[in-house]
Amino acid sequence: EGAKGKVVDGGLLPDANGKEPSPSGQTDGSKWQKPRISRKSLMKCCLVKWIIASTTQQGPDSSDSDLELSMVRHQPEGLEQLQAQTQFTRKELQSLYRGFKNECPSGLVDEETFKTIYSQFFPQGDATTYAHFLFNAFDMDRNGSIRFEDFVLGLSVLLRGSVTEKLRWAFNLYDINKDGYITKEEMLAIMRSIYDMMGRYTLPSVRDDSAFEHVEKFFQKMDRNRDGVVTIDEFIETCQKDENIMASMQLFENVI
């Protein structure tokens, strides 16, 4: 199926068919391996760039056994279980963990860290509100900090998940108060935060009212029974059927 079937890593949504590259596509008969973490496609993701930069500053790899020991010490679930739960290879998890531990010796990321990361990658705009929303989407148990496990599970969905998994994650991002519904106000708040972060250099140039127009149009399509809120089923169904929405969800491609 060639390049068309490849997942666009780093996008909120892969291309239309959204399949993982198939093992049979390999030419050298060896067991199919997922792309290495250093692949350019993965590097679109700001959170991965942040971690990898930290890993490279640290110099040569510490030995695997050291890493596993610290992994077990800091992470009750350990490497094996995370490998089973995510789409990352063992090596990728080790790279991610090494960088994570370097940046966050406590083993936890807080909201301020997200704000710092995103203001570095989007200096031309104001990233604080978007970083706040994104942090809340990763902070599943709402306790104000993200453990390595939660961080990696989120990244795995965003970078390598199926279309439906990514849409579920996006729904969770838009559902700011986590009540299971998206209101027009919530959708507008997220869109505005993205436009704010992208700054005035966004192309096509962003007018103040464009986030509002964007949301008006989408919300109308998604709220199928006109009850003023969008459910997860309405959200997934509309996104999968509507090419324009799918395309514009790619706005997320460079903001995770």
Side-chain angles (χ1 to χ4, degrees):
E1 57 179 56
K4 281 296 282 178
K6 290 248 167 64
V7 171
V8 181
D9 275 348
L12 184 71
L13 295 174
D15 54 8
N17 57 11
K19 288 197 203 75
E20 288 285 347
S22 67
S24 56
Q26 281 301 94
T27 43
D28 64 349
S30 65
K31 184 173 178 296
W32 177 63
Q33 287 196 316
K34 295 189 180 71
R36 295 268 328 273
I37 200 87
S38 55
R39 282 269 301 264
K40 202 174 80 188
S41 55
L42 253 180
M43 290 299 289
K44 277 189 202 157
C45 171
C46 298
L47 294 171
V48 172
K49 284 182 198 165
W50 164 68
I51 287 256
I52 296 298
S54 177
T55 313
T56 44
Q57 284 161 14
Q58 215 180 348
D61 289 1
S62 54
S63 78
D64 281 6
S65 59
D66 288 353
L67 190 73
E68 276 181 71
L69 273 175
S70 56
M71 191 84 190
V72 172
R73 206 165 44 241
H74 291 82
Q75 311 303 332
E77 279 144 320
L79 204 54
E80 299 294 326
Q81 196 172 341
L82 277 176
Q83 207 180 327
Q85 289 173 320
T86 66
Q87 301 286 331
F88 293 122
T89 63
R90 182 184 187 83
K91 273 244 177 299
E92 287 172 340
L93 285 169
Q94 288 174 336
S95 294
L96 286 169
Y97 183 63
R98 201 173 293 118
F100 187 92
K101 200 178 60 165
N102 202 37
E103 287 290 334
C104 311
S106 68
L108 298 170
V109 177
D110 60 11
E111 189 174 320
E112 284 310 304
T113 309
F114 263 53
K115 287 179 179 171
T116 306
I117 295 167
Y118 281 86
S119 59
Q120 280 169 7
F121 284 109
F122 295 93
Q124 75 277 23
D126 179 358
T128 47
T129 313
Y130 177 73
H132 166 74
F133 290 140
L134 189 67
F135 179 85
N136 285 346
F138 271 92
D139 181 16
M140 296 305 281
D141 49 8
R142 319 269 312 193
N143 65 359
S145 57
I146 300 168
R147 298 173 311 149
F148 179 67
E149 292 94 315
D150 301 327
F151 183 74
V152 168
L153 288 168
L155 277 186
S156 176
V157 168
L158 288 166
L159 296 171
R160 304 236 171 105
S162 65
V163 176
T164 310
E165 285 170 336
K166 289 179 182 187
L167 288 174
R168 280 184 186 285
W169 204 95
F171 182 89
N172 176 49
L173 175 69
Y174 279 114
D175 178 14
I176 294 169
N177 67 359
K178 311 296 179 228
D179 65 351
Y181 301 97
I182 299 174
T183 63
K184 193 182 287 186
E185 291 69 34
E186 285 177 318
M187 193 177 279
L188 187 57
I190 298 285
M191 278 294 172
R192 282 222 166 104
S193 75
I194 292 174
Y195 281 109
D196 286 349
M197 179 173 70
M198 301 300 254
R200 62 177 185 276
Y201 303 112
T202 312
L203 290 172
S205 65
V206 172
R207 302 191 318 282
D208 284 345
D209 56 351
S210 49
F212 181 75
E213 287 168 8
H214 207 103
V215 168
E216 281 291 314
K217 199 169 64 189
F218 279 2
F219 200 86
Q220 208 170 2
K221 283 183 180 174
M222 288 183 182
D223 182 13
R224 298 183 159 220
N225 62 355
R226 300 278 174 269
D227 63 352
V229 293
V230 172
T231 63
I232 191 152
D233 293 338
E234 286 177 321
F235 183 80
I236 289 176
E237 203 179 321
T238 312
C239 287
Q240 286 184 327
K241 279 187 181 162
D242 191 301
E243 278 178 24
N244 290 334
I245 292 184
M246 285 294 244
S248 88
M249 292 292 261
Q250 295 285 3
L251 183 59
F252 277 97
E253 180 162 318
N254 299 314
V255 297
I256 292 295

